[in-house]
Amino acid sequence: MSSRFFSLTFYEKIISLLFFCAVFIFFTQPVWLVSDFWWHLATGQWIVLNQQLLDFDPFLFSSTNEFFDPRKDVIYKGYWLAQAFYYYLVSYTGFTGALLFKALSLTLIFFIIRHHLLAKKVDAGLALALIAPLVVLAQPYAELRPQVFSFLGIVFLITVLERGFDQVLRGTTIIRSQLMCVPIIFLIWGQLHQAVIMGVAFLTLYFVWFTVRLDTLRTLRFFLLYIASLLAALANPVNLEVYRVMFNVGLWGAGDIAEMVGNNEEYGMTWSVLVARDEIFLLALLVGIAAFGALVLLVRWRRHDTFHLLLFLISLFIGFSSFRYAPIFAFLVPLLIAEKLAAVAFFSSPRCRRGAVVMAGLFILFFAQQSAARTVLRDNVTATTTIDGVVKYLEENDVQENIFNPYEWGGYLIWKFYPRYRFFMDARALDANVFHDYRAAAQGRKSTVFAKYDINTVVFYLIPPSAKQMPSIFYSLIKDDSWDLSYVDDYAVVFRKMHNVLPLALQKKSAFVDTLLINYLSKLAQSPENIDFLQTVGQLYYVKGDDARALSFFHKAREIDPDNVFSAQWVQFLRTRI
């Protein structure tokens, strides 16, 4: 009895329990301030309170609805069920409940993968060892966004279709209860997230393969199942528009929106995004998963493995061509190689099983260590503390619309203040022309843009989320005597337009610039070759009217980095003034 109690199987069960507990806690990180979750939540609130779907933008005063835009239609209506669900969830359970749901959803993905591996006779310890890298790789995507439902959808769909695949190989009928639920999957998925189109693509591949393998009667049965699934996927408010938007890049708009989408790291090539973010470890994990999957598929090659290899190569292309879809590739790998894993004797050996259990245990410790610093269950939405001061200022003071804001904060500001205030921009970037104007104003070329949209208040970050130097719009406003610095903290500023120049307001702005200059000169003394500090000090001297001294700091920045375009532009500009 003692021997049985301390058997390898016993340890595998304990490790499995601890593993999924650790994974659940690992995914309870706070909601990020720069997240699409907030505009999804605001949209869900609007849908629930108005009992209808959006067909216009109620949140931004800059939005136009002059013509039908399929991309807007998808953004307005394509996620309605997920958005309404999030709103109800937050309303009844608070943000803690929403975060726990997100952690449960992501954990469920890996539980489904494990269940599939065990059904294919893969050892429990090895299943955990295979899943653990996927958990680490999924961490950058662990947001409260409708994409989580697509992760769940694709994993659940492939596991169901793989069971049908097995039945075809055994020569049995494929219309069983698990396959009958495929149209239901597409019906629900189509209301949650528009990556349902990816599920349709994989279903089509399985349909083609089944057609080759099946007799006429069973082909007809699966054809009816396939058509029912396609119709279910189209039973959503945007219907065929999602396909047009996904396949026709031109619908994103010529110029600025297309450029924004192209520059958005979500749509960038996975390799370049991870290198740019200095996340070489995640890149190595992804490459390792790809290499391991390819190796397993090629071991003891059999003819019917061609289909799985084809699926593997297609998902490999999807995963590496776009950072947005990398986790889908990673999730599919163990599902596609499960049967091969069980067939290779090495992976069933006691030595491999013991090693897998040890590896899973080490990952549990890693997840625990990474989770220890998180206080989300105590602090709820900790990421919003960076703009709590601005939020409180807007709540306690009636500022004059229209309000210009950073698009990174737009979603959260919409959620907090609609319908009291409407804002200029959020991460949806609905209009190409508006995005072009936003970028011009944020870079300091504000006069024409502010006149065009009648901007009277500016809420902006003092330090951008993705950089270390203050944005150009700050210097433009601080130097403009018609704008009052109404609020400032370590993270953000609020400027309000003045109809009369007030000496006290100008003195306040001048004193703030002096404080900033002293602060950055102190930082520069500790890091004399920090280009961000050099450029910031140069801009502050420009604001004070000391162009010669400003030029000297930009010259030094160029000496350190001759290819720095920002410094070069400032040097050229300041030379024209001296």
Side-chain angles (χ1 to χ4, degrees), residues 123-390:
D123 289 304
L126 179 59
L128 295 182
L130 291 172
I131 291 170
L134 310 184
V135 177
V136 177
L137 192 64
Q139 196 276 331
Y141 307 85
E143 291 189 71
L144 265 167
R145 290 171 57 183
Q147 67 176 2
V148 172
F149 294 109
S150 279
F151 294 160
L152 262 172
I154 197 71
V155 168
F156 190 57
L157 175 68
I158 297 301
T159 56
V160 170
L161 291 175
E162 277 296 299
R163 291 193 178 187
F165 185 95
D166 290 341
Q167 291 166 4
V168 171
L169 292 181
R170 293 196 301 267
T172 59
T173 179
I174 65 164
I175 304 301
R176 295 285 180 87
S177 58
Q178 63 265 27
L179 280 175
M180 292 299 290
C181 73
V182 171
I184 300 174
I185 295 173
F186 279 100
L187 181 63
I188 298 173
W189 189 357
Q191 322 305 316
L192 293 167
H193 191 253
Q194 295 310 301
V196 65
I197 189 174
M198 189 174 294
V200 170
F202 278 102
L203 178 65
T204 302
L205 291 172
Y206 274 91
F207 169 69
V208 172
W209 189 89
F210 282 147
T211 301
V212 173
R213 301 282 301 193
L214 296 175
D215 56 50
T216 303
L217 178 59
R218 288 189 294 165
T219 299
L220 177 61
R221 290 175 180 174
F222 191 77
F223 176 74
L224 295 175
L225 183 70
Y226 175 68
I227 294 300
S229 300
L230 290 184
L231 294 175
L234 290 175
N236 65 75
V238 293
N239 297 315
L240 290 172
E241 298 305 332
V242 62
Y243 297 91
R244 290 177 56 194
V245 171
M246 295 294 181
F247 284 118
N248 189 349
V249 178
L251 288 176
W252 289 88
D256 298 291
I257 293 296
E259 181 180 346
M260 193 205 75
V261 171
N263 292 334
N264 188 331
E265 65 175 16
E266 275 196 85
Y267 298 93
M269 292 189 65
T270 304
W271 185 285
S272 59
V273 170
L274 291 176
V275 169
R277 292 171 55 170
D278 199 26
E279 294 181 345
I280 306 301
F281 176 67
L282 292 182
L283 179 59
L285 271 183
L286 190 62
V287 172
I289 290 167
F292 180 77
L295 180 64
V296 171
L297 281 175
L298 294 174
V299 170
R300 295 183 180 178
W301 177 261
R302 290 180 296 176
R303 190 176 66 176
H304 72 256
D305 294 329
T306 304
F307 178 64
H308 281 135
L309 181 60
L310 175 64
L311 291 180
F312 176 84
L313 293 175
I314 291 173
S315 58
L316 175 69
F317 172 77
I318 293 171
F320 276 89
S321 63
S322 174
F323 177 73
R324 184 183 183 93
Y325 301 118
I328 290 179
F329 162 68
F331 297 156
L332 290 184
V333 169
L335 301 179
L336 298 177
I337 68 173
E339 186 176 355
K340 278 289 187 180
L341 280 172
V344 177
F346 170 76
F347 294 120
S348 300
S349 65
R351 178 178 296 180
C352 181
R353 291 177 63 191
R354 282 194 293 268
V357 170
V358 171
M359 184 180 297
L362 292 175
F363 270 105
I364 290 173
L365 295 177
F366 171 77
F367 297 148
Q369 185 273 329
Q370 291 293 309
S371 303
R374 297 180 184 146
T375 57
V376 60
L377 297 180
R378 184 189 69 206
D379 296 339
N380 261 346
V381 193
T382 57
T384 61
T385 55
T386 55
I387 64 168
D388 279 349
V390 165

Side-chain angles (χ1 to χ4, degrees), residues 9 12 45 92 106 152 168 214 248 251 328 368 411 445 448 552:
T9 303
E12 287 175 342
Q45 180 184 40
Y92 288 105
L106 290 164
L152 262 172
V168 171
L214 296 175
N248 189 349
L251 288 176
I328 290 179
R445 304 188 304 275
T448 303
S552 68

Side-chain angles (χ1 to χ4, degrees), residues 514-525:
D514 289 338
T515 301
L516 284 175
L517 188 56
I518 292 171
N519 182 30
Y520 275 93
L521 283 171
S522 175
K523 293 180 179 180
L524 193 58

